[in-house]
Amino acid sequence: MKRTMLLTALLLAMANAHANGPPGPPVPSPDTCSAQGGVVGANLIDGTFGTGSGTYGEAAPAPGLGTQTTYLYAPWVSYRPDDGEYVIVNATGPDSPWSTWHSQLLGHTTGLDDDRFAVFNASIEPGTFYSQTLTVAPNTNFEVSFWVMNVNSNVNDLLLPNLATVIRRVGVDPPGGGVVVATTGDIPEANPPFWHQYAAVFNSASATQIELRLDNNSSGGLGNDFALDDIALAPCTLAAGAIAGTLYYDANLDGALQAGEPGLPANIPVQIVDTRGTPDTGDDVIVGTTQTDASGHYAFANIPAGADYVVHAVTTDPNVPADVALHTPNDVAVTVTSGSQAAADFGFVSADVQIVKQGPASVGGGQPITYTLTITNPGPTAADGASWGDLVPVEITGVSAFCGSEAGGAVCGPVQVNGNDVSGTLPTLPVGGSVRITIEGITPAAVAILSNTGTVTPASGIPDPDEDNNASTTSTSTPVSLQSFEVE
């Protein structure tokens, strides 16, 4: 919507323009700090290019761009910046070196004859043309902005400038990466031309340094020539609120933080992301990043009110225990209002289900035999839906089974007996809960060593931190019963 409004303003200005003459009225961005109800602080960048005399750019006037640009400065008096070059001027004058350029262009800062600005002849290859690293206060909102003008006159089929503002928060965003916080789209030609501003508000998160980059998304060669003035970065005081929550073990699997449910460990990153009101992630901005404390708690302060935020737990971080899984949704949508605190909690699951199988060391041939399976769950979360099984040796006949001795809120559920395959699912197995399954049958008459194993497995999506206790084996010998012998 904001981009549409700006484009509408540009088209109206073009429709009302008249041929030749000085630049038309400047068009401010709707995304400035003040437009969002904030107060702008002191500018941290000297991006006005100063003032000076002389129609064309002399040799590297101060303040120039120096190492802040990869473009070459065009030092000759008649200034003819070629592809990949720039010049700093106070006016283009009536004798502009390129026939496609407008005459009589003036700077944006004051609009006077001595107001300097930079003119770029785009490099053949798209990429970064301006970069500056700045020290900033952490967890602070900033406005970044610049003014730009397409210096080409109304000529068909010329390449159009297309610029992007990229912010990389050192220590937050990866090296070489960053977040696109504002884009110009294709900047149309206009007659007369006019300056238009592009701005964005972002949060420095935990960074104390940021890299500000301006990228040209369009190639050069025939067109894509633009003027730049008044690059600015300043703190922005906005109506703000807070967000807080906990990463916790969802002991009862109800998806809500309850008193007594333990938190995950410290130093797990949590992010606030501004979705910019769109479902795609290409324009998302990480507004803030923090870490959990020893109780799994996190908190953000000074978060601008009114934006479309989601809170994201970085579950891939190495500080997240290896055998846990997120049980509640990630990317929780929150609404931040001034002076209030929104909440976003994240429940995780992990259950160390255990089984112990018991049976007699020996049973006479052809005699009844009884096994027991004791299943427990020490936690830290419930293991509802855990499945168990026992494949009884084929030598044992007449197999039957039942479940009982439910304790700690556990529920057995039906027991399935399919020949010698005994199994079941426990619909409820809370932390501290247990059940006991009894299996009965008749041993074979012949001498045998009967060995079999009972197993238990948590439900899908519930990791088990110790799978070594998920199986238990017992062995029983069946010597021939003395009753089967006759003495003569």
Side-chain angles (χ1 to χ4, degrees):
M1 178 64 72
K2 292 177 179 177
R3 303 301 178 209
T4 302
M5 292 171 59
L6 181 57
L7 181 57
T8 301
L10 297 180
L11 293 175
L12 286 173
M14 291 172 63
N16 294 327
H18 55 83
N20 302 316
V27 178
S29 168
D31 294 333
T32 59
C33 175
S34 58
Q36 299 179 43
V39 177
V40 182
N43 185 13
L44 303 180
I45 298 177
D46 184 5
T48 67
F49 302 105
T51 58
S53 60
T55 300
Y56 301 118
E58 60 270 31
L65 291 178
T67 59
Q68 295 170 12
T69 183
T70 56
Y71 281 32
L72 297 176
Y73 188 78
W76 49 83
V77 174
S78 61
Y79 104 92
R80 289 175 57 95
D82 210 336
D83 296 332
E85 295 182 343
Y86 80 104
V87 69
I88 294 176
V89 297
N90 65 298
T92 54
D95 299 320
S96 179
W98 301 113
S99 60
T100 61
W101 285 16
H102 285 286
S103 299
Q104 302 176 4
L105 297 184
L106 299 174
H108 167 267
T109 309
T110 65
L112 302 177
D113 290 343
D114 63 349
D115 182 10
R116 281 178 169 160
F117 56 98
V119 182
F120 292 82
N121 191 335
S123 176
I124 297 297
E125 296 296 328
T128 299
F129 67 92
Y130 173 91
S131 176
Q132 186 173 3
T133 300
L134 301 154
T135 298
V136 296
N139 302 307
T140 301
N141 301 314
F142 289 91
E143 175 194 279
V144 59
S145 65
F146 62 88
W147 290 82
V148 67
M149 177 191 296
N150 187 335
V151 302
N152 287 301
S153 57
N154 233 350
V155 179
N156 294 329
D157 300 325
L158 290 182
L159 297 169
L160 301 178
N162 186 314
L163 310 183
T165 307
V166 183
I167 299 293
R168 184 178 79 87
R169 289 156 298 186
V170 179
V172 176
D173 303 313
V179 181
V180 176
V181 296
T183 56
T184 67
D186 289 341
I187 302 173
E189 300 161 355
N191 196 357
F194 51 89
W195 290 99
H196 39 103
Q197 183 189 39
Y198 292 88
V201 174
F202 69 95
N203 190 279
S204 56
S206 59
T208 57
Q209 280 191 319
I210 66 164
E211 179 189 14
L212 165 61
R213 301 201 311 263
L214 298 181
D215 289 356
N216 194 339
N217 296 323
S218 187
S219 59
L222 185 59
N224 193 2
D225 305 312
F226 57 93
L228 192 70
D229 203 1
D230 295 328
I231 307 168
L233 177 75
C236 173
T237 302
L238 288 167
I243 302 174
T246 302
L247 278 60
Y248 67 99
Y249 287 102
D250 191 8
N252 60 1
L253 307 183
D254 69 347
L257 177 61
Q258 307 290 342
E261 289 182 318
L264 264 62
N267 301 320
I268 297 173
V270 180
Q271 300 171 337
I272 303 177
V273 180
D274 184 351
T275 65
R276 300 300 183 93
T278 62
D280 65 281
T281 59
D283 60 350
D284 287 359
V285 176
I286 300 174
V287 173
T289 300
T290 190
Q291 294 183 328
T292 56
D293 61 16
S295 300
H297 185 73
Y298 72 91
F300 293 96
N302 194 32
I303 302 303
D308 299 296
Y309 295 120
V310 296
V311 184
H312 176 79
V314 184
T315 58
T316 56
D317 188 82
N319 289 306
V320 176
D323 298 302
V324 304
L326 184 60
H327 178 61
T328 58
N330 209 336
D331 298 325
V332 179
V334 295
T335 300
V336 176
T337 57
S338 180
S340 68
Q341 177 172 289
D345 300 314
F346 300 87
F348 291 76
V349 290
S350 177
D352 181 21
V353 293
Q354 304 175 7
I355 189 170
V356 175
K357 179 165 187 175
Q358 294 176 306
S362 63
V363 174
Q367 301 300 305
I369 187 170
T370 299
Y371 297 109
T372 61
L373 303 175
T374 303
I375 298 174
T376 59
N377 174 29
T381 70
D384 297 354
S387 58
W388 60 271
D390 191 333
L391 188 59
V392 178
V394 294
E395 295 88 349
I396 296 177
T397 58
V399 174
S400 63
F402 63 91
C403 183
S405 301
E406 300 166 323
V411 176
C412 284
V415 176
Q416 308 293 328
V417 179
N418 185 11
N420 283 41
D421 188 358
V422 184
S423 63
T425 298
L426 308 179
T428 305
L429 186 58
V431 177
S434 65
V435 299
R436 179 173 294 175
I437 298 109
T438 300
I439 301 174
E440 298 176 338
I442 304 298
T443 62
V447 176
I449 301 296
L450 305 174
S451 178
N452 70 304
T453 300
T455 60
V456 65
T457 305
S460 176
I462 302 180
D464 191 323
D466 183 6
E467 296 182 350
D468 291 342
N469 53 29
N470 288 20
S472 180
T473 302
T474 187
S475 295
T476 302
S477 62
T478 59
V480 176
S481 170
L482 295 177
Q483 296 176 359
S484 66
F485 287 89
E486 294 183 0
V487 179
E488 297 182 356

